Amino acid sequence: MSSHKILHNLLSLLFKSYSKVQSLSLSLLLPSCSSSSPSFSPYFSFVQMAAITSPEVLLEVFPYLRVLKDGTIDRVAGTQVAPPGLDPETGVLSKDIVILPQTGVSARLYRPNTAKPGTKLPLVVYLHGGAFCISSAADPCYHTSLNNLVAEANAIAVSVNYRLAPEYPLPTAYEDCWAALNWVFNGGEDRDSWVKDHVDFGRVFLVGDSAGANIAHHLALRIKDSDPDPKLKIAGIGMVNPYFWGKKPIGGEVGDLVRKSMVDTWWNFVCPSEKGGDDPLINPFLDGAPGLEGLACGKVLVMVAEKDILRDRGRLYYEELVKSKWGGRKELIETRGEDHDFHIFNPNCDKAKILIRDLGKFVNQD
């Protein structure tokens, strides 16, 4: 029996003992990515337990990782790797490249295998989630999702492998993604032929889920700030279950203090400071934070899930965007009955297919 299955069974038994105390849902970031698997998410919505520890563990950031007393980071989720290559189900080809040898920043590139030489396609610069501390572009769940998105949108994709906290504290992830975006536009002869030969640079999109959506927001603001006539031109941003937060609970967070406390813990772990959840990196609506009118793109799609603890932050982002002086096209889509990143962990369910179809439309609509 796999370690995933053993841990899942153990946590299921523990969950049953807690379910009599309050109605809570088991949502663990340790599934397989098959259609036969139930839908899971990285939000584990019951009382944090002191079990499954050892004398060597200094800190548990449940359910993602453990910090051992010798300083080792022991990740228990998001460590699986799928090889690149031709996906027979979607006809999408992928390969891994190094973008910045000096830092090790890399990416997984995707293109439809049927793309003919000289054909220009939209580009999706994809930024994966994982609370800034787990996962990668090679994660099997993300690999499946990107294959599906590239096939649906008939696009090229650059899925960025940014460095993770705590080994590389924030804002390293933002800087790595900024460097990757600059490579896309300004890499010259160092750019891969898939990018040089197939990308329509008038149709470049930032798309990310969870922490990746947060990064996409900050990159779009930075483009505007970096140059009044930017060389980096983003057509739109697709934000799936965006990871924004704040010290003061809003909406459903008010009655869900268990998950509120867990998200507080995750953010404080990757970005320790006295600001906590009111750091402008995670809370874009603080006084003094850059205004949304500075987003350097023509359209924004915000996608939220009904059962996600982050749902109200995503809705707030959209509402503030509507109220701002930003003049682009904006859209909000809510998926009923689903939790955070359901489309990543259960990519073959009907609602995941609808989400990918909506993202594909967003990329291809003028």
Side-chain angles (χ1 to χ4, degrees), residues 10-11 14 35 40 48 60 96 98 104 112 120-122 168 177 199 218 233 237 250 266-267 285 293 299:
L10 174 60
L11 291 173
L14 289 168
S35 58
F40 288 79
Q48 191 168 4
E60 292 222 23
D96 293 334
V98 175
K120 298 297 183 181
L121 302 174
Y168 300 95
C177 293
V199 168
H218 286 285
K233 296 184 179 180
I237 309 174
I250 65 171
W266 298 338
W267 177 252
F285 308 120
E293 64 275 4
K299 57 181 181 177

Side-chain angles (χ1 to χ4, degrees), residues 1 16 49 81 97 114 133 159 168 182 187 230 292 302 353:
M1 183 180 293
K16 290 176 182 177
M49 296 168 290
V81 172
I97 65 165
T114 55
C133 62
S159 184
Y168 300 95
N182 274 275
L292 297 182
V302 181
K353 293 177 181 177

Side-chain angles (χ1 to χ4, degrees), residues 113-180:
N113 197 37
T114 55
K116 295 185 171 81
T119 302
K120 298 297 183 181
L121 302 174
L123 172 67
V124 171
V125 177
Y126 194 87
L127 312 170
H128 71 79
F132 296 98
C133 62
I134 64 165
S135 203
S136 71
D139 186 308
C141 296
Y142 280 106
H143 183 62
T144 298
S145 185
L146 265 292
N147 280 326
N148 292 340
L149 177 57
V150 167
E152 179 66 37
N154 192 33
I156 307 297
V158 174
S159 184
V160 181
N161 243 345
Y162 54 85
R163 289 172 291 176
L164 302 175
E167 297 94 329
Y168 300 95
L170 296 182
T172 300
Y174 299 95
E175 296 301 326
D176 286 350
C177 293
W178 178 248

Side-chain angles (χ1 to χ4, degrees), residues 310-329:
L310 301 181
R311 181 193 69 159
D312 293 303
R313 300 289 172 171
R315 293 181 66 90
L316 176 62
Y317 187 95
Y318 173 78
E319 292 163 3
E320 293 294 326
L321 194 59
V322 170
K323 291 190 293 186
S324 75
K325 296 180 180 179
W326 182 73
R329 189 164 77 238

Side-chain angles (χ1 to χ4, degrees), residues 28-195:
L28 180 64
L29 183 61
L30 290 175
S32 66
C33 302
S34 66
S35 58
S36 60
S37 301
S39 178
F40 288 79
S41 84
Y43 296 99
F44 198 62
S45 54
F46 57 84
V47 178
Q48 191 168 4
M49 296 168 290
I52 322 175
T53 61
S54 72
E56 293 76 28
V57 176
L58 178 65
L59 176 68
E60 292 222 23
V61 184
F62 189 78
Y64 297 131
L65 56 82
R66 303 179 300 175
V67 181
L68 306 185
K69 289 183 178 179
D70 65 0
T72 301
I73 306 300
D74 180 23
R75 289 181 169 83
V76 296
T79 60
Q80 301 84 3
V81 172
L86 178 62
D87 178 49
E89 293 187 13
T90 60
V92 171
L93 189 62
S94 59
K95 64 179 179 180
D96 293 334
I97 65 165
V98 175
I99 293 177
L100 294 173
Q102 60 270 35
T103 61
V105 175
S106 62
R108 179 161 290 188
L109 272 56
Y110 297 81
R111 71 168 175 85
N113 197 37
T114 55
K116 295 185 171 81
T119 302
K120 298 297 183 181
L121 302 174
L123 172 67
V124 171
V125 177
Y126 194 87
L127 312 170
H128 71 79
F132 296 98
C133 62
I134 64 165
S135 203
S136 71
D139 186 308
C141 296
Y142 280 106
H143 183 62
T144 298
S145 185
L146 265 292
N147 280 326
N148 292 340
L149 177 57
V150 167
E152 179 66 37
N154 192 33
I156 307 297
V158 174
S159 184
V160 181
N161 243 345
Y162 54 85
R163 289 172 291 176
L164 302 175
E167 297 94 329
Y168 300 95
L170 296 182
T172 300
Y174 299 95
E175 296 301 326
D176 286 350
C177 293
W178 178 248
L181 189 60
N182 274 275
W183 172 85
V184 165
F185 282 94
N186 304 316
E189 292 304 313
D190 291 333
R191 285 185 300 193
D192 187 87
S193 60
W194 289 9
V195 175

